[in-house]
Amino acid sequence: MANSILLNTDVAFRYPTPSSPEPIDSTAEIPSKALLIKLPVTPQTLKHRSRNETVYSVKSSAAANGDHIADNQRTILQLKVVVPPLPQSSDANDYKVFHVEPLAKDSKQVVSKKRKRDEVNGNGVSAPSKDQRALSDAALTAFKDLASDIFEAENDAQSETNGNGLSTRKTYFVQDEVDGGVSLTINSETNVKLDSCLQKVISLARFKDIPVNQLCKIRDLCEGALVSADLLDVRIEPGWGTDEISDWAERAASVDASLRSARTVLRIMAGGREEKQIYSEELLQKILSLLYKVIETCVSPVVESRTSGTESSIFDIASVQKKVILQLLHNAAKIMQLLLELLTKVDLAETTITSIEFFVIRLLFVENAHVEKESILGIHKFESIRRTAMNLTAQLFLRYPEQRRFILDEVLVSLQKLPINRQQARQYKLEDGTNIQLVSALLMRLVHSCATRSISQPAKRRKIILDENASAAAPRSGGREDENSESEDSEHSSDAENDDIEGRMAGNWKHGISSIARLAKDVRLLYDAAGSNAQYIVEFFVSRASSASRTGDQPHRHLLDMFVGDLVSVLNFPDWPASELLLRALFARMERITSSDKSTAPMKNMALEVLGAAGSAILDVTTNARQLAKTLENDDSELSITLVQSFEDHLANQLEDGNLLSWTGSYRAVLEYLGRSSSDPQTIGAQGYYLTQWTKLVLWGTNSTSTNFGTSPVQLELANKLSKVGSTGKWSSADDFDSVSETQCRLAYDLTILNMGFGRAFNQIFQILLRAVRSDQTTVRSRGLKSVTQMLEKDPTLLDRMPHVIRLIINSASDQSPMVRDSSLTLIGKCIVLQPALEAQVLETVLAFTSDTAASIRKHSMKLLKDMYLRNKSQKTRAEISESLLHRVDDLDEGVSDLARQMFEDIWLVPFWNLSPVQNSSVEREIALKDQVALMIRIMQRGERTSQVLQPLLVQALGSKSKNPDANTIACKAMIAAAFQGIIDTAELPGRPEQGIILHTLTVFSRACPKLFTQPQLEHLQPYIANLSTADDLNIFRSVVVILRCVMPTLPAMQKDFLKQVQEDLLRNITKLAKAELDEVVACLWTINGALGNIEKLVNMEINVLNKLYSSRLVDFGDAKQNSELSKLKRLVLLAGHFAKHCNFEPQSKKFSSKLPWWAGSSVVECVIDSIKPYAAKHQPVSLRSVAMDNIGMICQAWPKNFNRSEITLMFQHVLKDDDPELQRIVLSSFRDFFTVQDHQIEVKVSSGERDPLAHGKLGGSMTASDNDGAAALIAQGFLKDILRIALSSQGSYALTATEVVASITRQGLVHPKECGPALVALETSTNPKIAEVAFQQHRNLHQQHESMFEREYMRAVYEAYSYQRDVAKDLKGFITQPFRSKLHLMYEVVKTSKSKYQSKFFANFCAKIDFDVTKLDVSANPPTHLQYARFLVENLAFFDYGRVEDVLHATSCMEKIVASTGAGIAHAINTEVFHVRLEPGLDSSISATEQASSTVEAPLEKVDQVRLRQVTTASMILSMLWEARTFLRRLYGISASQQRRENKAKGSKDLSKPPTKTSGITGDKFVDSIKRTMSALDTDDLILAQCREFADLLAIDNEVKVPAEDGEDDRGRLKTPSVEDDGESLMPPSGGSKATKRKGSVSISGTPHKKKRGRPPLGGRRKSTKSVDEDEDSY
């Protein structure tokens, strides 16, 4: 074993001290390449060695020559062979000489899958071959020859004796001006040759054979180029011409030559020689200066230039000179790589280190292009040099621990310098193609470095001498004396290290506890350092992101998201283990934020978002591990079997840490795989970190607070092995381990991640998110739901493992905040997709969302219901969903109604587009069609409301404006055909629906589109009208008649026999029909008459009816004896009215005249009206008057010119003025039906493309007014006041009808909008939802059409609403409950559609209505009228659903101004007139009103004018309520003083335009109680005094003014409004004038007391009131 080690290592020994005996005879001849070791050497001899014993350091390279052995002791010791000193009697024959051949780095040996460690060394390199030795000799000879030629050329150039000197000099040199003289400098071509030769010599381990004086001389010959480069500027300036560019190209060529010289110099310095004279600090600084100049002044500006913008000219110039700049970039990259090599071998001076740090960190943050067309040099070429900069930074961080905090700070602080577009650039590409930010990779590299122990590094590093004399000293050959002196200098500094290492070796041999204790301490320190730096990085990101937003000017919030995303991306990458530690630190920090009561909502939202991403990352690792385990299931290798079994144990929570930490466990597999890439600095760092983590877990376990490491035999044995690996960088030579594949490595690494601190924190993360769902803060609940959604998407099985999650989500659906409800709905949708079985559990919740107050949530729920409908086959579920969607068709929000219509088409018609009734289709389609028809029938059974909604839906789907009318028609025809099959045989349809409901469903289709029906289908209906005997028959009869009436006019030709049969059946049953059926039958008869032309039957029937009516005109039907005749007469009136309505008998007027001798008129319609009119007289019974009035109105609808008849008009006026609600309803119904027909005609014209006469005036239609126009104008002008009075007098069906008439009048533009606008606003507050909806719809239309005019009417409308609530609703409160909402909320919804300036004006005017003149207050009523009105307004202000933050701020500002301006005078009046306050001379003027009143004699209330007292008390009550509302709003919306001030400074701010967020837990109950308490202040004298005192204190104590810190200060605090964040007293409103700053003690009868010299402090000496406004705010 020892022989094997010696044959493959160099031994650099330390010379004995001067007191030691001479070890070897100087005359002895020893070969140059030999190791001198006395045999035998055993551990027993080492145990008894003394201080003067020689220590030989074993290295992995070939032995150095005898001249330089002493210098080799500066490399890091890995394994030592200690040889005792030679005794005085020693003999040279006692020693053997072993010849060692140098190892070639290129030689490799094929390693089998089962690697025998003794066959190859740690790197798998075998002994060198003869060919390699020949190559090394040739390389050394080539360099010496080149150096000889250079030196000879230099001598010739200096002596100039050789005639060929000039040509020789030009071959190798150029002349540069240095310090005013001329200096020879090696030219570019020669530098290229030198660099190539040096590189070969160094790679073949022959660099030590080059004389040091030659190296120094070459270095000096390169110095001139570095000096001359200082005078050259390679900066590109915009606007250059051709000459400037040519000059720049020449300078760039010179700088490029200097870069080549710098490469040669650095190649010499980085070669690993130990001689001091090779290293020059001055030259190194010049190289760094040159490198900085090239990168900073040339390359970086070019990289940052773009095709457009201010740098476009630089881009153009650089594009022409692209080749030159690329060459500069190439050489700069080579120099940076050599600097990296130098850093690994040499200790640099602090100034040099600082220069490198500044340069590389600046380079890391240069903005590279995102697309190739914007990059001159190429994105990847510049990113490669940036990677080198990252490697340099990581090496500096590793080598110089004292610089670590500085490097971290510089990197982190530089993050905010990144441009916004640079933050999105993830240009650091990993092996699998994943991209992350370069800075994220760097930060992880730095964490790796903290935990990485020095492995495979030289035993000692050369320290550059800063002394200029030393750097300029002449080259020395390196004699024995110098070596001894150096050894002496370094002996004492290395004694401690040698002792430590030797002690560890002895301890390892004994397996002693002391060695393990040191190891445990070391790894603990290393791992803690990594953890400390990880926490520092995390704290930097989090602390800055906590106070920033994504959309703010500072990018910290966005940077945190990017950083977390990068960590998540590389979490399961074995070569980035620091990501787990950083995520663990992030989790700990975010957990503290979420659990802290001091954390703000934005901070908690940030934490929850990060935790959601972190938890999802853990789930991703688990999913990835599951896939890898499945891949390895068929692999029969021992490692694969072990890994798969370990993963199964992990899923079952049965995996023990010992399985992962064992010598052949997962950690070992990962390190074996990473060991293959020994040349990659990133992988080396990851190895070191991973090994330290493994060792730490073995000794200390997962408990970070443990103070004692483990001492079990298993732990000690494993720790001893890991210690050897850490010291040598090699696995045991006697150890065999399977070759690890990438899949095995990935699974092993995933197992370690899942069982580290971060992976085990998953349950904690998920519980934190679930707790956030129950938070008191709205945005936190919403964010928690979103994060839970994110995790459920990753792992749907969480719903099975945690059933309480879905219950928590459902509970969140009833949250007060729309944001939380929307997040809950989103999460419910995700859960349904992931677990379809949950649909039944959440259906009711989703259906409830369709009636949500927020339109966005309604839309969201409708989309979700559509998906549930298409997935679900249950008729019951589909019916519930369909009914819910149909109800949204009439939604007040147009977006919601449009979406409902589209969804109706998507779920009911689209699936049957290609299904024709005349074509055979698949059985599945037929079944689906019948299911759909049965579903429609089922929905129709739920009420008439469904048919009213379904009909316009069908009209729209089949109309010309539909996108697919033809396809929809085919689907509807197929449904009708299926329905007719169900009529013939109810068993054809699921559920066996009754014939009556099937026919009722068909009536909807017939009204919507009669052309869908065919003649054979109508013929099937004829038998159902032949027999009419029961109520069921009547329902069927009515439906069939409706279908016939609608469809027959659309059919081209009908069989006359069929029509005659239908006519006979209808006429036979006509006397049995009620009004509704009679209307349909008469209309149907008139339609049949058009086809048959036998009008005689109808004429005869009408004449017969009219004669009977005429004959009964004198009968007193008020007599009870005439009841039977009264019923017959009513039937006759109905028949006469309906025939006159539907039939045009005017062409038959002559026949009517001949048969009606008592009639002498010319119009049949007038004859009918005249025949019915006597029965509408006042003396007739009300029931008869109602029937007569109804039929007259019905006839006037069909023949509008009759509205203009004076006797009809007078009759209607009398009815409307009389107090008979039933008759008023009939008249109003006539008006409503008339306007409904007019509206329908307008809609038809618009849909057909005709111009709308209402929108375009007479220019859009006929210039002649029609009968309809005259009747409409008459109704609007003659009856509007009475109609408005009826509408505003009640909330029943009569008022609804009147409201509909008012809406129609305003819709057709028959009156000025301001005549009806206030009434519509008042009607919006009705408790009858139908009245409120009709009024709101028309109010919204008026506002959109006449916004500017309507704005001026709102204050009158508000008072109209107050009067309506007072007189009709009998409720003067300004709000409704469950939940609390303003009674004027519909009006405010319309106002919110206005521009910002209109809304601001609205609030100013609204608040102005609360203000008053105290001297003019009418307090005679109890309570006073203005007090009640003010309460109504204040409560509305408090419960408005404000649409923008700016609206809340403006409303509260208006309130404050009123309290400040009006309140000061009221407080003054209370102090002087009620309490008669007089301050005693010694009384402090700053005491409160309560204390002033108690310290003075109050005048009895009997002596105070009672009217004046009620006035000031009422005034204080109004202002107190206003202040309560202001305080409530600030508390509800979390308005701070800074936001209040921001309104005046930044009215256009985006933040002010956002919807305000309500604070959870504030419902308004306490505000309502406070208002109620204030309203009772006039009940007793004590309450009056209490109210006055409270208001005086409110105005007297201004808690918003801060007291000056020093007595000498006279600065007054700044007034501001109360802030939720303030811990002190509440704030007083900003002053609206000079009165606002008055205090209660400022006015007294006895005069102002004497003031101190400094003047009375603003509020400094005043005591706090018993209750501050902030306390009031907190009470909400």
Side-chain angles (χ1 to χ4, degrees), residues 58 273 475 608 854 943 997 1269 1451:
V58 181
R273 295 290 290 262
L608 293 174
I997 190 62
D1269 298 335

Side-chain angles (χ1 to χ4, degrees), residues 69 617 649 1391 1481:
I69 288 179
D649 293 342
V1391 172

Side-chain angles (χ1 to χ4, degrees), residues 1477-1635:
V1477 175
R1478 293 179 177 84
L1479 294 179
E1480 301 297 331
L1483 189 62
D1484 191 348
S1485 63
S1486 62
I1487 64 176
S1488 69
T1490 304
E1491 293 171 339
Q1492 289 179 16
S1494 63
S1495 63
T1496 60
V1497 178
E1498 295 180 1
L1501 287 182
E1502 290 79 5
K1503 297 183 180 181
V1504 181
D1505 182 74
Q1506 294 300 306
V1507 175
R1508 179 63 173 170
L1509 178 61
R1510 284 180 65 86
Q1511 283 181 333
V1512 295
T1513 305
T1514 302
S1516 68
M1517 293 167 65
I1518 294 172
L1519 296 176
S1520 296
M1521 290 189 297
L1522 188 60
W1523 189 254
E1524 288 287 346
R1526 166 263 186 200
T1527 306
F1528 169 71
L1529 286 175
R1530 288 174 55 102
R1531 181 67 173 166
L1532 178 63
Y1533 291 105
I1535 301 300
S1536 63
S1538 60
Q1539 286 176 296
Q1540 194 82 17
R1541 293 191 296 270
R1542 191 188 311 161
E1543 181 201 11
N1544 299 325
K1545 296 181 179 179
K1547 289 188 178 294
S1549 173
K1550 292 182 179 179
D1551 292 337
L1552 296 180
S1553 300
K1554 292 181 179 179
T1557 302
K1558 291 184 179 180
T1559 304
S1560 178
I1562 301 180
T1563 60
D1565 291 322
K1566 294 184 178 180
F1567 167 74
V1568 172
D1569 292 340
S1570 177
I1571 297 297
K1572 185 177 180 181
R1573 184 175 60 255
T1574 302
M1575 287 296 295
S1576 64
L1578 291 173
D1579 292 349
T1580 65
D1581 292 344
D1582 292 338
L1583 292 176
I1584 290 174
L1585 285 177
Q1587 171 62 33
C1588 291
R1589 287 194 189 100
E1590 185 176 351
F1591 182 75
D1593 281 345
L1594 176 66
L1595 267 291
I1597 298 177
D1598 187 351
N1599 296 305
E1600 298 185 5
V1601 180
K1602 297 183 179 179
V1603 181
E1606 299 295 335
D1607 291 339
E1609 298 179 2
D1610 195 28
D1611 296 334
R1612 292 181 179 266
R1614 186 176 176 185
L1615 291 170
K1616 60 178 181 178
T1617 52
S1619 172
V1620 176
E1621 294 80 11
D1622 293 339
D1623 294 328
E1625 294 293 332
S1626 176
L1627 311 176
M1628 196 45 205
S1631 173
S1634 60
K1635 293 183 180 180

Side-chain angles (χ1 to χ4, degrees), residues 871-1148:
R871 286 194 302 265
N872 207 306
K873 301 300 182 183
S874 169
Q875 284 286 322
K876 179 182 178 181
T877 302
R878 284 193 164 190
E880 292 177 349
I881 295 174
S882 299
E883 184 180 12
S884 180
L885 293 178
L886 285 174
H887 287 169
R888 292 300 100 207
V889 172
D890 292 334
D891 196 277
L892 299 179
D893 186 276
E894 293 183 0
V896 176
S897 60
D898 292 341
L899 181 62
R901 295 186 185 96
Q902 183 60 45
M903 285 187 175
F904 159 76
E905 184 175 337
D906 292 341
I907 65 177
W908 277 16
L909 301 180
V910 171
F912 309 105
W913 272 1
N914 298 323
L915 189 62
S916 175
V918 297
Q919 296 177 353
N920 294 327
S921 57
S922 63
V923 176
E924 292 79 5
R925 296 289 295 277
E926 288 289 344
I927 294 175
L929 178 64
K930 292 179 179 180
D931 289 341
Q932 182 62 48
V933 173
L935 175 64
M936 296 178 66
I937 295 172
R938 183 172 186 152
I939 294 175
M940 293 297 296
Q941 288 177 311
R942 296 177 180 265
E944 189 65 25
R945 171 66 176 165
T946 304
S947 62
Q948 294 175 357
V949 174
L950 185 57
Q951 180 179 335
L953 276 177
L954 290 171
V955 172
Q956 182 184 25
L958 301 172
S960 59
K961 291 187 177 181
S962 174
K963 295 180 180 179
N964 301 281
D966 296 336
N968 291 337
T969 300
I970 293 174
C972 289
K973 286 183 177 181
M975 293 179 185
I976 292 172
F980 270 97
Q981 293 178 7
I983 295 173
I984 299 172
D985 183 2
T986 56
E988 290 288 331
L989 296 177
R992 291 179 173 270
E994 296 179 357
Q995 291 178 330
I997 190 62
I998 298 176
L999 288 167
H1000 180 59
T1001 304
L1002 289 174
T1003 60
V1004 177
F1005 285 93
S1006 66
R1007 288 191 176 104
C1009 186
K1011 295 181 180 180
L1012 298 173
F1013 293 79
T1014 62
Q1015 182 172 334
Q1017 290 173 343
L1018 294 187
E1019 292 175 355
H1020 284 301
L1021 300 178
Q1022 188 272 329
Y1024 296 99
I1025 60 174
N1027 185 18
L1028 184 59
S1029 58
T1030 65
D1032 293 338
D1033 294 337
L1034 180 61
N1035 292 332
I1036 296 175
F1037 181 87
R1038 182 191 307 115
S1039 298
V1040 173
V1041 171
V1042 170
I1043 296 172
L1044 293 173
R1045 177 180 65 82
C1046 295
V1047 175
M1048 285 192 298
T1050 65
L1051 296 177
M1054 294 287 293
Q1055 295 182 5
K1056 290 187 177 182
D1057 294 339
F1058 168 72
L1059 294 176
K1060 289 180 180 179
Q1061 184 63 44
V1062 171
Q1063 187 183 50
E1064 292 176 1
D1065 293 337
L1066 294 178
L1067 290 173
R1068 183 173 61 253
N1069 296 314
I1070 197 170
T1071 57
K1072 303 176 183 179
L1073 303 177
K1075 176 184 176 181
E1077 291 76 16
L1078 182 60
D1079 187 71
E1080 299 292 344
V1081 168
V1082 175
C1084 187
L1085 287 171
W1086 183 249
T1087 302
I1088 296 173
N1089 174 72
L1092 297 179
N1094 55 353
I1095 196 174
E1096 291 80 10
K1097 291 183 179 182
L1098 302 181
V1099 170
N1100 292 335
M1101 179 174 286
E1102 182 71 357
I1103 291 173
N1104 187 27
V1105 169
L1106 292 176
N1107 279 324
K1108 290 181 180 181
L1109 287 175
Y1110 181 76
S1111 62
S1112 302
R1113 69 187 185 282
L1114 299 178
V1115 179
D1116 182 11
F1117 291 99
D1119 189 357
K1121 297 179 180 180
Q1122 301 295 331
N1123 286 342
S1124 59
E1125 295 298 325
L1126 178 62
S1127 300
K1128 295 179 181 178
L1129 182 65
K1130 291 179 182 178
R1131 175 70 57 184
L1132 294 174
V1133 171
L1134 285 174
L1135 288 171
H1138 281 86
F1139 275 105
K1141 173 185 176 183
H1142 292 287
C1143 304
N1144 183 9
F1145 291 136
E1146 297 301 329
Q1148 308 295 325

Side-chain angles (χ1 to χ4, degrees), residues 15 65-71 208-216 273-278 473-483 486:
Y15 284 96
N65 58 27
D67 292 338
H68 307 295
I69 288 179
D71 291 335
K208 62 183 179 300
D209 296 330
I210 301 175
V212 67
N213 59 344
Q214 291 186 5
L215 297 175
C216 292
R273 295 290 290 262
E274 299 293 329
E275 293 83 358
K276 299 177 182 178
Q277 55 268 40
I278 289 178
R476 295 178 297 173
S477 61
R480 178 74 173 256
E481 182 179 356
D482 296 330
E483 294 170 357
E486 182 180 342

